[in-house]
Amino acid sequence: MSIQDIIEGKKQWRAHVARVQALPPDYQIVYKEMQKHLFKVGPVSLSDGPLLPGIVDFFEEGVAAGKGVLELIGPDVAAFCDDLIKDSPTYADAYQDSISGEPGATGK
């Protein structure tokens, strides 16, 4: 990874954060809770994938439609997040594979 890649990544992240901050307060609160949950669960592609920007896109559409954030995602934020990443490999999955003794796994 070059310096230019790091700088570009920071620019993209700052633009992403600015989009989140432009959302209404209730959307921001839910987004931050979703982000915490997703960082804890750890989908492998979270940092460079389309998931977080996609959530902001979804929220911006909800705001434009005049809907409340819980109308969009339902009352259980964690369940909504888990449904988003249900088919994505997570760091927890990788760890579980490493201790399960599967061929090629380390840490047996």
Side-chain angles (χ1 to χ4, degrees):
M1 179 176 275
S2 71
I3 298 278
Q4 192 61 32
D5 292 338
I6 294 170
I7 292 170
E8 186 60 34
K10 283 188 174 191
K11 285 180 184 178
Q12 290 174 354
W13 182 251
R14 287 183 183 130
H16 174 79
V17 169
R19 288 177 63 202
V20 171
Q21 290 174 342
L23 294 169
D26 57 336
Y27 278 84
Q28 289 182 41
I29 292 168
V30 171
Y31 176 83
K32 289 175 185 172
E33 289 303 313
M34 291 175 74
Q35 188 180 37
K36 274 195 261 184
H37 180 77
L38 291 169
F39 282 140
K40 191 182 305 180
V41 173
V44 175
S45 64
L46 182 62
S47 61
D48 59 352
L51 182 61
L52 293 177
I55 292 169
V56 176
D57 292 340
F58 180 59
F59 280 5
E60 288 171 340
E61 291 170 11
V63 170
K67 294 185 177 181
V69 68
L70 295 181
E71 289 180 72
L72 295 176
I73 68 164
D76 190 344
V77 175
F80 180 81
C81 292
D82 290 342
D83 194 45
L84 285 177
I85 62 170
K86 66 182 174 197
D87 296 326
S88 302
T90 65
Y91 288 113
D93 295 334
Y95 176 73
Q96 193 64 33
D97 291 346
S98 74
I99 62 172
S100 69
E102 291 184 15
T106 59
K108 183 176 178 184

